[in-house]
PDB file of all heavy atoms in Angstrom:
ATOM      1  N   GLY A 266     136.860 150.294  76.746  1.00 94.00           N
ATOM      2  CA  GLY A 266     137.947 149.907  77.622  1.00 94.00           C
ATOM      3  C   GLY A 266     138.546 148.594  77.246  1.00 94.00           C
ATOM      4  O   GLY A 266     138.308 147.984  76.225  1.00 94.00           O
ATOM      5  N   LEU A 267     139.374 148.106  78.207  1.00 94.00           N
ATOM      6  CA  LEU A 267     140.082 146.828  77.968  1.00 94.00           C
ATOM      7  C   LEU A 267     139.207 145.625  77.840  1.00 94.00           C
ATOM      8  O   LEU A 267     139.608 144.615  77.209  1.00 94.00           O
ATOM      9  CB  LEU A 267     141.105 146.618  79.075  1.00 94.00           C
ATOM     10  CG  LEU A 267     142.195 147.696  79.144  1.00 94.00           C
ATOM     11  CD1 LEU A 267     143.150 147.327  80.315  1.00 94.00           C
ATOM     12  CD2 LEU A 267     143.067 147.744  77.887  1.00 94.00           C
ATOM     13  N   SER A 268     137.985 145.616  78.380  1.00 95.00           N
ATOM     14  CA  SER A 268     137.106 144.467  78.217  1.00 95.00           C
ATOM     15  C   SER A 268     136.795 144.176  76.688  1.00 95.00           C
ATOM     16  O   SER A 268     136.569 143.052  76.283  1.00 95.00           O
ATOM     17  CB  SER A 268     135.842 144.562  79.002  1.00 95.00           C
ATOM     18  OG  SER A 268     135.133 145.701  78.631  1.00 95.00           O
ATOM     19  N   PHE A 269     136.905 145.265  75.899  1.00 94.00           N
ATOM     20  CA  PHE A 269     136.831 145.146  74.402  1.00 94.00           C
ATOM     21  C   PHE A 269     138.136 144.983  73.791  1.00 94.00           C
ATOM     22  O   PHE A 269     138.384 144.066  73.011  1.00 94.00           O
ATOM     23  CB  PHE A 269     136.105 146.377  73.860  1.00 94.00           C
ATOM     24  CG  PHE A 269     136.009 146.377  72.354  1.00 94.00           C
ATOM     25  CD1 PHE A 269     134.884 145.746  71.682  1.00 94.00           C
ATOM     26  CD2 PHE A 269     136.978 146.881  71.593  1.00 94.00           C
ATOM     27  CE1 PHE A 269     134.829 145.715  70.336  1.00 94.00           C
ATOM     28  CE2 PHE A 269     136.921 146.830  70.168  1.00 94.00           C
ATOM     29  CZ  PHE A 269     135.837 146.296  69.543  1.00 94.00           C
ATOM     30  N   LEU A 270     139.066 145.855  74.202  1.00 92.00           N
ATOM     31  CA  LEU A 270     140.343 145.916  73.544  1.00 92.00           C
ATOM     32  C   LEU A 270     141.199 144.610  73.647  1.00 92.00           C
ATOM     33  O   LEU A 270     141.904 144.235  72.760  1.00 92.00           O
ATOM     34  CB  LEU A 270     141.163 147.072  74.049  1.00 92.00           C
ATOM     35  CG  LEU A 270     140.581 148.460  73.763  1.00 92.00           C
ATOM     36  CD1 LEU A 270     141.325 149.530  74.487  1.00 92.00           C
ATOM     37  CD2 LEU A 270     140.566 148.779  72.273  1.00 92.00           C
ATOM     38  N   LYS A 271     141.030 143.936  74.795  1.00 93.00           N
ATOM     39  CA  LYS A 271     141.886 142.706  75.032  1.00 93.00           C
ATOM     40  C   LYS A 271     141.421 141.591  74.053  1.00 93.00           C
ATOM     41  O   LYS A 271     142.102 140.605  73.961  1.00 93.00           O
ATOM     42  CB  LYS A 271     141.810 142.230  76.481  1.00 93.00           C
ATOM     43  CG  LYS A 271     140.440 141.739  76.926  1.00 93.00           C
ATOM     44  CD  LYS A 271     140.508 141.362  78.406  1.00 93.00           C
ATOM     45  CE  LYS A 271     139.109 140.858  78.842  1.00 93.00           C
ATOM     46  NZ  LYS A 271     139.037 140.580  80.254  1.00 93.00           N
ATOM     47  N   LYS A 272     140.320 141.743  73.410  1.00 92.00           N
ATOM     48  CA  LYS A 272     139.871 140.746  72.455  1.00 92.00           C
ATOM     49  C   LYS A 272     140.289 141.098  71.010  1.00 92.00           C
ATOM     50  O   LYS A 272     139.868 140.430  70.063  1.00 92.00           O
ATOM     51  CB  LYS A 272     138.343 140.598  72.570  1.00 92.00           C
ATOM     52  CG  LYS A 272     137.880 140.106  73.928  1.00 92.00           C
ATOM     53  CD  LYS A 272     136.362 140.008  74.038  1.00 92.00           C
ATOM     54  CE  LYS A 272     135.986 139.499  75.429  1.00 92.00           C
ATOM     55  NZ  LYS A 272     134.536 139.333  75.581  1.00 92.00           N
ATOM     56  N   CYS A 273     141.085 142.094  70.858  1.00 89.00           N
ATOM     57  CA  CYS A 273     141.497 142.535  69.534  1.00 89.00           C
ATOM     58  C   CYS A 273     143.054 142.784  69.514  1.00 89.00           C
ATOM     59  O   CYS A 273     143.704 142.871  70.528  1.00 89.00           O
ATOM     60  CB  CYS A 273     140.939 143.963  69.261  1.00 89.00           C
ATOM     61  SG  CYS A 273     139.175 144.084  69.441  1.00 89.00           S
ATOM     62  N   LYS A 274     143.548 142.862  68.354  1.00 89.00           N
ATOM     63  CA  LYS A 274     144.927 143.301  68.148  1.00 89.00           C
ATOM     64  C   LYS A 274     144.746 144.772  67.770  1.00 89.00           C
ATOM     65  O   LYS A 274     144.062 145.092  66.842  1.00 89.00           O
ATOM     66  CB  LYS A 274     145.680 142.555  67.039  1.00 89.00           C
ATOM     67  CG  LYS A 274     147.050 143.088  66.824  1.00 89.00           C
ATOM     68  CD  LYS A 274     147.754 142.404  65.746  1.00 89.00           C
ATOM     69  CE  LYS A 274     149.126 142.959  65.495  1.00 89.00           C
ATOM     70  NZ  LYS A 274     149.764 142.401  64.332  1.00 89.00           N
ATOM     71  N   VAL A 275     145.310 145.694  68.535  1.00 86.00           N
ATOM     72  CA  VAL A 275     145.089 147.079  68.351  1.00 86.00           C
ATOM     73  C   VAL A 275     146.431 147.737  67.941  1.00 86.00           C
ATOM     74  O   VAL A 275     147.490 147.511  68.563  1.00 86.00           O
ATOM     75  CB  VAL A 275     144.575 147.813  69.614  1.00 86.00           C
ATOM     76  CG1 VAL A 275     144.404 149.261  69.444  1.00 86.00           C
ATOM     77  CG2 VAL A 275     143.333 147.139  70.144  1.00 86.00           C
ATOM     78  N   SER A 276     146.363 148.541  66.860  1.00 88.00           N
ATOM     79  CA  SER A 276     147.563 149.246  66.419  1.00 88.00           C
ATOM     80  C   SER A 276     147.179 150.729  66.414  1.00 88.00           C
ATOM     81  O   SER A 276     146.216 151.148  65.859  1.00 88.00           O
ATOM     82  CB  SER A 276     148.004 148.861  65.015  1.00 88.00           C
ATOM     83  OG  SER A 276     148.283 147.470  64.992  1.00 88.00           O
ATOM     84  N   ILE A 277     148.088 151.544  67.063  1.00 88.00           N
ATOM     85  CA  ILE A 277     147.874 153.010  67.057  1.00 88.00           C
ATOM     86  C   ILE A 277     149.175 153.590  66.511  1.00 88.00           C
ATOM     87  O   ILE A 277     150.239 153.392  67.078  1.00 88.00           O
ATOM     88  CB  ILE A 277     147.644 153.538  68.500  1.00 88.00           C
ATOM     89  CG1 ILE A 277     146.409 152.841  69.060  1.00 88.00           C
ATOM     90  CG2 ILE A 277     147.469 155.004  68.476  1.00 88.00           C
ATOM     91  CD1 ILE A 277     146.152 153.175  70.557  1.00 88.00           C
ATOM     92  N   ASP A 278     149.053 154.382  65.473  1.00 92.00           N
ATOM     93  CA  ASP A 278     150.132 155.127  64.862  1.00 92.00           C
ATOM     94  C   ASP A 278     149.884 156.564  65.114  1.00 92.00           C
ATOM     95  O   ASP A 278     149.041 157.190  64.375  1.00 92.00           O
ATOM     96  CB  ASP A 278     150.294 154.799  63.439  1.00 92.00           C
ATOM     97  CG  ASP A 278     151.505 155.421  62.788  1.00 92.00           C
ATOM     98  OD1 ASP A 278     151.927 156.502  63.262  1.00 92.00           O
ATOM     99  OD2 ASP A 278     152.093 154.869  61.810  1.00 92.00           O
ATOM    100  N   PHE A 279     150.422 157.131  66.150  1.00 92.00           N
ATOM    101  CA  PHE A 279     150.142 158.562  66.516  1.00 92.00           C
ATOM    102  C   PHE A 279     150.636 159.555  65.396  1.00 92.00           C
ATOM    103  O   PHE A 279     149.957 160.528  65.153  1.00 92.00           O
ATOM    104  CB  PHE A 279     150.789 158.884  67.858  1.00 92.00           C
ATOM    105  CG  PHE A 279     150.058 158.236  68.979  1.00 92.00           C
ATOM    106  CD1 PHE A 279     150.594 157.112  69.596  1.00 92.00           C
ATOM    107  CD2 PHE A 279     148.894 158.752  69.487  1.00 92.00           C
ATOM    108  CE1 PHE A 279     149.918 156.518  70.671  1.00 92.00           C
ATOM    109  CE2 PHE A 279     148.202 158.148  70.508  1.00 92.00           C
ATOM    110  CZ  PHE A 279     148.728 157.025  71.110  1.00 92.00           C
ATOM    111  N   ARG A 280     151.762 159.209  64.828  1.00 95.00           N
ATOM    112  CA  ARG A 280     152.304 160.129  63.783  1.00 95.00           C
ATOM    113  C   ARG A 280     151.411 160.202  62.563  1.00 95.00           C
ATOM    114  O   ARG A 280     151.198 161.305  62.056  1.00 95.00           O
ATOM    115  CB  ARG A 280     153.680 159.715  63.330  1.00 95.00           C
ATOM    116  CG  ARG A 280     154.734 160.057  64.365  1.00 95.00           C
ATOM    117  CD  ARG A 280     156.133 159.619  63.897  1.00 95.00           C
ATOM    118  NE  ARG A 280     156.245 158.245  64.392  1.00 95.00           N
ATOM    119  CZ  ARG A 280     157.121 157.365  63.938  1.00 95.00           C
ATOM    120  NH1 ARG A 280     157.939 157.707  62.962  1.00 95.00           N
ATOM    121  NH2 ARG A 280     157.218 156.190  64.453  1.00 95.00           N
ATOM    122  N   LYS A 281     150.731 159.121  62.188  1.00 94.00           N
ATOM    123  CA  LYS A 281     149.834 159.072  61.025  1.00 94.00           C
ATOM    124  C   LYS A 281     148.378 159.338  61.454  1.00 94.00           C
ATOM    125  O   LYS A 281     147.565 159.569  60.621  1.00 94.00           O
ATOM    126  CB  LYS A 281     149.912 157.755  60.299  1.00 94.00           C
ATOM    127  CG  LYS A 281     151.212 157.508  59.623  1.00 94.00           C
ATOM    128  CD  LYS A 281     151.215 156.181  58.905  1.00 94.00           C
ATOM    129  CE  LYS A 281     152.594 155.923  58.240  1.00 94.00           C
ATOM    130  NZ  LYS A 281     152.583 154.631  57.594  1.00 94.00           N
ATOM    131  N   GLY A 282     148.101 159.321  62.731  1.00 91.00           N
ATOM    132  CA  GLY A 282     146.761 159.468  63.189  1.00 91.00           C
ATOM    133  C   GLY A 282     145.898 158.307  62.781  1.00 91.00           C
ATOM    134  O   GLY A 282     144.724 158.426  62.422  1.00 91.00           O
ATOM    135  N   VAL A 283     146.408 157.043  62.930  1.00 89.00           N
ATOM    136  CA  VAL A 283     145.693 155.868  62.517  1.00 89.00           C
ATOM    137  C   VAL A 283     145.467 154.935  63.720  1.00 89.00           C
ATOM    138  O   VAL A 283     146.402 154.606  64.448  1.00 89.00           O
ATOM    139  CB  VAL A 283     146.455 155.103  61.366  1.00 89.00           C
ATOM    140  CG1 VAL A 283     145.775 153.844  61.008  1.00 89.00           C
ATOM    141  CG2 VAL A 283     146.589 155.997  60.189  1.00 89.00           C
ATOM    142  N   LEU A 284     144.231 154.422  63.808  1.00 84.00           N
ATOM    143  CA  LEU A 284     143.891 153.403  64.803  1.00 84.00           C
ATOM    144  C   LEU A 284     143.289 152.228  64.041  1.00 84.00           C
ATOM    145  O   LEU A 284     142.331 152.372  63.259  1.00 84.00           O
ATOM    146  CB  LEU A 284     142.870 153.975  65.773  1.00 84.00           C
ATOM    147  CG  LEU A 284     142.182 153.048  66.721  1.00 84.00           C
ATOM    148  CD1 LEU A 284     143.160 152.496  67.702  1.00 84.00           C
ATOM    149  CD2 LEU A 284     141.040 153.706  67.471  1.00 84.00           C
ATOM    150  N   GLU A 285     143.842 151.057  64.260  1.00 84.00           N
ATOM    151  CA  GLU A 285     143.320 149.840  63.580  1.00 84.00           C
ATOM    152  C   GLU A 285     143.056 148.720  64.589  1.00 84.00           C
ATOM    153  O   GLU A 285     143.787 148.546  65.552  1.00 84.00           O
ATOM    154  CB  GLU A 285     144.407 149.369  62.577  1.00 84.00           C
ATOM    155  CG  GLU A 285     144.667 150.241  61.416  1.00 84.00           C
ATOM    156  CD  GLU A 285     145.774 149.736  60.514  1.00 84.00           C
ATOM    157  OE1 GLU A 285     146.776 149.151  61.023  1.00 84.00           O
ATOM    158  OE2 GLU A 285     145.593 149.913  59.310  1.00 84.00           O
TER     159      GLU A 285
END
Side-chain angles (χ1 to χ4, degrees):
L267 295 178
S268 59
F269 177 89
L270 296 172
K271 69 182 179 184
K272 298 179 180 182
C273 308
K274 178 179 177 187
V275 181
S276 300
I277 302 173
D278 187 329
F279 288 101
R280 284 181 271 161
K281 292 181 182 177
V283 176
L284 171 66
E285 294 178 321

